[in-house]
């Protein structure tokens, strides 16, 4: 008995070899991954596992019950002979991986073959083989909603159970009974153990192959994402010489290749690595294969002849050339060079595909960033254009009112107005100005406003010199100060006060405009700066434009904060960092 067990376990080496080969077949992989199979693929799987069962029969040992001897020949059996075999392994694996349909089909093929070989157990073994496929299919159904392959313990139990059922059917169906009993007594335990182990080993091999591939895929994905993260800061600036060279240097450092190159449609933007002495940057693309990738948008593996290097001693013998795309348009190529075509493994090809896709997405983001920046600049210009006529209308009204009563004062105000607009026009061509220039801008404005209020308006300044170099959008303070005068202190009969504070708080500048005016009612307060709030004396665009520009250029943290008490005054403040 134990000698037979050792021989049966020895034969499992064949099972291991077959298991490894089968994991390489495409439709077997689909079966393992629980994908839907076409009818043709399903029939192919049934035939393959059925043949696997037949191989299990032929690799068994012929057992002569009368003489209690074993023979390695399994071609034709006499009435006193049976087979100690591993046929059930292929059928059970078919059922565990493909369900009862595949298990039943494989069982019918292997079972029918066993019946035709003859022997007094032919019918019992044929029937039990079919039943083994159905039993395995039942366990597949129980595990169907779990996307993993059946556990190894389950595979061991099913394999042993299927073989135990075969032993039982031999006792029930095979005749004469005394021969059937002696056969089961002799081979029952070795076959149950060996075939259970065989099924478990087969499943273990499949699980290990899949896990190793998943692990490699995970490592490749992590590697690609790491490279994408390292190159992000460069390629977000677009595809140019300045972004291509550092990107190539990063890729060369992180990937086992001889050289890396990036091109656009016409020129080699960067080349680093072996051969950089004669593969020069900023040259026109010369190789036909690169031009073909640009035209077709498909990855190509190029040999020595396709690289077309003019240097006879150039060590670069092969290359993987992948397209770089924005949307569906190829705008350049990513090229990995190797010293031998043998160095180009399937893993390198997949990595090249993944990297070209990730880098293409980064270039698409750079294009989106560019369009967003253009749109943002256009909106900022439009908002600044809205502010200028708004102030001009108020300033001219003030000057017109003084021309007849006080021409000298009107002249002085016109000079202040010209200074104001000179600075205003300088700001139109830029999106940022310093706080120092902005304070000069506001002072020119307040000279005009103080003339309107005579001695009623007092303006004070509390300024930290350290923050004068901080930058903010042009014409940010003036609309806030104008709002304080127009809607706050203008209606006061007593002395009106406006205080402008520029204070440094940690690494930020806090700008505050404080008035002692009538304040803002609670219903309007939440809307100011968030939307255009019209009133009897204004269009409502002043604070809204300021808040909008601060938000666009510096984010939500820079938005206006408005605190107001009815009858006591209003404080409008915001914070900006030293860098945008």
């Amino acid at each position: 008995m134990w000698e037979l067990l050792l021989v049966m376990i020895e034969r499992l080496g064949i099972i291991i070899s077959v298991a490894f080969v089968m994991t390489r077949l495409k439709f077997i992989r689909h079966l393992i991954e629980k994908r839907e199979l076409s009818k043709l693929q399903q029939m192919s799987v049934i035939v393959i596992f059925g043949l696997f069962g037949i191989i299990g029969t032929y690799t068994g040992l012929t057992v002569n019950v009368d003489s209690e001897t074993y023979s390695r020949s399994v071609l034709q059996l006499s009435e006193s002979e049976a087979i100690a075999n591993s046929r059930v392994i292929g059928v059970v694996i078919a059922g565990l991986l493909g369900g009862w349909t595949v298990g039943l089909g494989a069982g019918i093929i292997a079972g029918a073959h066993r019946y035709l070989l003859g022997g007094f157990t032919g019918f019992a073994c044929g029937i039990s083989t079919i039943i083994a496929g159905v039993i395995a299919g039942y366990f597949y159904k129980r595990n169907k909603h779990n996307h993993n392959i059946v556990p190894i313990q389950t595979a061991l139990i099913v394999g042993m159970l299927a073989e135990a059922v075969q032993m039982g059917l031999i006792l029930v169906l095979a005749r004469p009974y005394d021969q059937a009993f002696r056969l089961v007594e002799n081979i029952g335990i070795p076959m149950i153990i060996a075939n259970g182990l065989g099924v478990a080993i087969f499943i273990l091999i499949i699980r290990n192959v899949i896990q190793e591939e998943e692990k490699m895929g995970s490592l490749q994905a992590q590697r690609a994402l790491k490279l994408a993260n390292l190159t992000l800061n460069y390629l977000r600036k677009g595809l140019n010489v300045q972004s291509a060279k550092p990107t190539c240097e990063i890729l060369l450092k992180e990937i086992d290749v001889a050289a890396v190159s990036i091109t656009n449609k016409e020129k080699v933007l960067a080349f680093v690595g072996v051969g950089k002495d004669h593969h020069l940057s900023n040259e026109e693309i010369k190789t036909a294969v690169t031009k073909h990738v640009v035209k077709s948008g498909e990855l190509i593996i190029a040999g020595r002849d396709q690289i077309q290097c003019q240097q006879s001693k150039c060590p670069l013998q092969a290359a993987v050339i992948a397209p770089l795309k924005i949307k569906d348009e190829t705008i350049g190529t990513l090229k990995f060079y190797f010293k031998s075509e043998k160095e180009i493994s399937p893993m390198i090809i997949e990595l090249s595909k993944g990297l070209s896709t990730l880098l293409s997405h980064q270039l698409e983001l750079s294009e989106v960033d560019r369009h967003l920046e253009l749109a943002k600049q256009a909106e900022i210009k439009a908002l600044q254009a809205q502010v200028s006529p708004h102030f001009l209308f108020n300033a001219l009204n003030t000057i017109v009112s003084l021309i007849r009563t006080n021409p000298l004062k009107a002249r002085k105000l016109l000079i202040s107005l010209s200074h104001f607009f000179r600075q205003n026009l300088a700001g139109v061509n830029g999106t940022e100005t310093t706080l120092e220039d902005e304070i000069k801008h506001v002072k020119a404005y307040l000279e005009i406003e103080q003339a309107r209020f005579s001695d009623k308006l007092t303006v004070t300044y509390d300024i930290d010199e350290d923050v004068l170099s901080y930058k903010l959008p042009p014409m940010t303070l003036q609309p806030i100060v104008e709002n304080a005068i127009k809607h706050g202190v203008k209606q006061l009969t007593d002395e009106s006060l406006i205080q402008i504070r520029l204070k440094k708080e940690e690494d930020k500048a806090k700008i505050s405009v404080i008035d002692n005016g009538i304040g803002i009612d609670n219903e309007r307060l939440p809307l100011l700066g968030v939307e255009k709030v019209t009133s009897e004396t204004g269009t409502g665009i002043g604070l809204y434009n300021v808040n909008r520009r601060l938000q666009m250029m510096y984010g939500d943290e820079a938005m206006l904060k408005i605190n107001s008490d009815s009858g006591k005054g209003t404080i409008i403040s915001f914070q900006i960092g030293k860098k945008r």
Side-chain angles (χ1 to χ4, degrees):
M1 180 189 295
W2 302 114
E3 181 184 352
L4 176 62
L5 177 60
L6 292 175
V7 173
M8 293 287 295
I9 292 175
E10 180 187 329
R11 298 296 176 94
L12 292 180
I14 300 173
I15 305 301
I16 294 171
S17 302
V18 172
F20 185 79
V21 171
M22 290 180 73
T23 57
R24 300 288 171 238
L25 299 177
K26 187 174 182 180
F27 45 84
I28 299 295
R29 294 301 299 268
H30 288 178
L31 186 73
I32 294 169
E33 294 164 7
K34 298 192 176 181
R35 299 187 200 174
E36 290 294 327
L37 299 179
S38 66
K39 292 293 184 182
L40 180 61
Q41 288 178 327
Q42 195 173 48
M43 288 301 299
S44 300
V45 169
I46 289 171
V47 170
I48 286 174
F49 279 107
L51 292 174
F52 186 16
I54 292 173
I55 291 172
T57 299
Y58 280 124
T59 56
L61 296 174
T62 300
V63 180
N64 191 305
V65 179
D66 291 338
S67 62
E68 295 185 357
T69 58
Y70 303 107
S71 169
R72 296 183 183 274
S73 175
V74 188
L75 296 176
Q76 196 68 37
L77 301 177
S78 68
E79 285 301 318
S80 62
E81 291 179 328
I83 306 172
N85 61 85
S86 55
R87 174 179 59 255
V88 77
I89 294 176
V91 177
V92 168
I93 294 296
L96 289 176
L97 296 182
W100 73 270
T101 307
V102 177
L104 179 64
I108 290 172
I109 293 173
H113 170 265
R114 171 61 188 91
Y115 174 74
L116 294 174
L117 286 178
F120 74 99
T121 61
F123 179 72
C125 289
I127 293 296
S128 64
T129 303
I130 297 171
I131 293 174
V134 176
I135 292 172
Y138 168 76
F139 282 89
Y140 166 86
K141 186 177 181 181
R142 290 188 59 182
N143 193 61
K144 187 174 183 180
H145 299 295
N146 184 355
H147 291 288
N148 296 322
I149 301 170
V150 293
I152 297 170
Q153 299 93 322
T154 303
L156 176 65
I157 291 170
V158 175
M160 295 178 74
L161 176 62
E163 195 58 52
V165 168
Q166 177 170 265
M167 293 299 112
L169 286 175
I170 288 174
L171 290 174
V172 172
L173 299 177
R175 292 294 180 268
Y177 177 78
D178 61 327
Q179 282 188 339
F181 183 81
R182 277 185 287 148
L183 176 68
V184 171
E185 185 180 36
N186 191 18
I187 71 171
I189 292 176
M191 284 187 63
I192 290 172
I193 294 173
N195 286 319
L197 288 173
V199 173
I201 290 172
F202 196 110
I203 292 296
L204 177 64
I205 291 170
I206 291 175
R207 289 176 70 95
N208 285 345
V209 169
I210 299 301
Q211 286 172 0
E212 283 299 315
E213 290 184 355
E214 287 177 349
K215 184 178 178 181
M216 288 300 298
S218 176
L219 291 174
Q220 286 293 87
Q222 290 178 12
R223 193 179 186 187
L225 288 172
K226 177 187 175 183
L227 290 171
N229 186 51
L230 290 172
T231 58
L232 179 62
N233 290 335
Y234 302 105
L235 289 181
R236 284 291 289 267
K237 298 173 184 177
L239 186 62
N240 50 52
V241 175
Q242 290 73 26
S243 64
K245 187 175 180 180
T247 299
C248 287
E249 290 171 348
I250 290 169
L251 295 177
L252 181 65
K253 181 180 177 182
E254 297 292 332
I255 303 174
D256 187 19
V257 295
V260 183
S261 175
I262 291 178
T263 76
N264 59 18
K265 286 183 176 181
E266 296 86 21
K267 289 186 175 182
V268 178
L269 298 177
F271 186 100
V272 295
V274 176
K276 65 180 180 181
D277 57 329
H278 57 277
H279 288 271
L280 304 177
S281 302
N282 289 322
E283 287 193 344
E284 297 290 328
I285 295 175
K286 298 176 182 178
T287 57
V289 66
T290 304
K291 293 178 181 178
H292 180 72
V293 172
V294 171
K295 185 177 180 180
S296 67
E298 299 292 333
L299 181 142
I300 289 180
I301 300 171
R304 167 69 180 174
D305 295 338
Q306 292 172 299
I307 293 176
Q308 296 177 334
C309 182
Q310 303 301 315
Q311 294 285 334
S312 58
K313 296 183 179 180
C314 179
L316 302 179
Q317 301 294 316
V320 176
I321 307 174
L324 296 174
K325 298 181 179 182
I326 290 181
K327 295 183 179 179
D328 294 327
E329 180 186 357
T330 302
I331 61 164
T333 64
L334 172 65
K335 304 168 75 172
F336 293 120
Y337 289 89
F338 302 87
K339 294 182 180 180
S340 169
E341 288 190 41
K342 295 179 180 178
E343 295 178 9
I344 304 177
S345 64
M347 189 171 64
I348 285 290
I349 296 171
E350 289 302 315
L351 181 62
S352 302
K353 289 179 181 178
L355 278 175
S356 70
T357 300
L358 286 171
L359 298 186
S360 295
H361 289 331
Q362 290 180 359
L363 291 171
E364 286 185 10
L365 288 174
S366 75
E367 194 71 7
V368 171
D369 287 345
R370 189 174 70 86
H371 286 298
L372 284 175
E373 186 63 26
L374 289 173
K376 187 183 291 185
Q377 297 295 337
E379 184 172 354
I380 289 171
K381 298 291 184 184
L383 293 172
Q384 287 178 202
Q386 288 179 342
V387 173
S388 298
H390 186 62
F391 168 71
L392 179 61
F393 176 78
N394 291 315
L396 289 177
N397 271 347
T398 303
I399 294 170
V400 166
S401 67
L402 292 171
I403 284 177
R404 292 183 180 179
T405 58
N406 195 340
L408 290 177
K409 198 168 188 177
R411 180 177 178 275
K412 184 180 178 181
L413 293 180
L414 279 171
I415 293 172
S416 296
L417 184 63
S418 69
H419 289 171
F420 175 85
F421 271 104
R422 187 178 297 115
Q423 207 146 346
N424 188 42
L425 289 171
V428 168
N429 294 323
T431 58
E432 288 183 312
T433 186
T434 62
L435 272 172
E436 183 177 10
D437 288 338
E438 192 70 4
I439 285 294
K440 292 178 182 177
H441 197 225
V442 168
K443 285 181 177 179
Y445 164 76
L446 284 173
E447 286 179 9
I448 299 170
E449 293 300 282
Q450 283 180 301
R452 291 176 58 202
F453 284 85
S454 298
D455 296 328
K456 287 184 179 181
L457 179 61
T458 301
V459 181
T460 63
Y461 299 91
D462 183 8
I463 299 173
D464 284 348
E465 299 291 327
D466 293 342
V467 302
L468 291 178
S469 61
Y470 282 48
K471 293 186 177 182
L472 73 170
M475 294 187 69
T476 296
L477 283 180
Q478 183 272 329
I480 298 175
V481 174
E482 180 181 354
N483 186 81
I485 294 172
K486 193 171 186 180
H487 301 287
V489 302
K490 182 178 178 181
Q491 302 178 42
L492 291 180
T493 55
D494 299 328
E495 184 174 344
S496 303
L497 175 65
I498 290 181
Q499 185 177 23
I500 298 173
R501 289 181 183 172
L502 276 62
K503 308 297 289 183
K504 187 173 184 180
E505 295 185 356
E506 295 181 354
D507 61 338
K508 294 185 178 181
K510 183 175 181 180
I511 299 98
S512 305
V513 177
I514 306 165
D515 69 67
N516 65 339
I518 61 172
I520 304 167
D521 64 69
N522 293 331
E523 291 183 2
R524 299 169 69 84
L525 187 60
L527 304 178
L528 290 176
V530 179
E531 57 185 66
K532 297 177 183 179
V533 182
T534 57
S535 65
E536 295 179 1
T537 57
T539 62
I541 67 170
L543 293 183
Y544 172 77
N545 284 355
V546 170
N547 204 32
R548 177 74 174 134
R549 285 187 292 155
L550 286 171
Q551 183 185 22
M552 287 174 63
M553 295 179 69
Y554 301 100
D556 291 345
E557 292 182 358
M559 292 175 67
L560 296 178
K561 295 177 176 60
I562 305 173
N563 298 301
S564 183
D565 290 327
S566 182
K568 294 183 180 180
T570 302
I571 302 174
I572 299 180
S573 63
F574 62 93
Q575 285 187 329
I576 55 172
K578 193 161 188 177
K579 292 184 179 180
R580 178 173 171 179

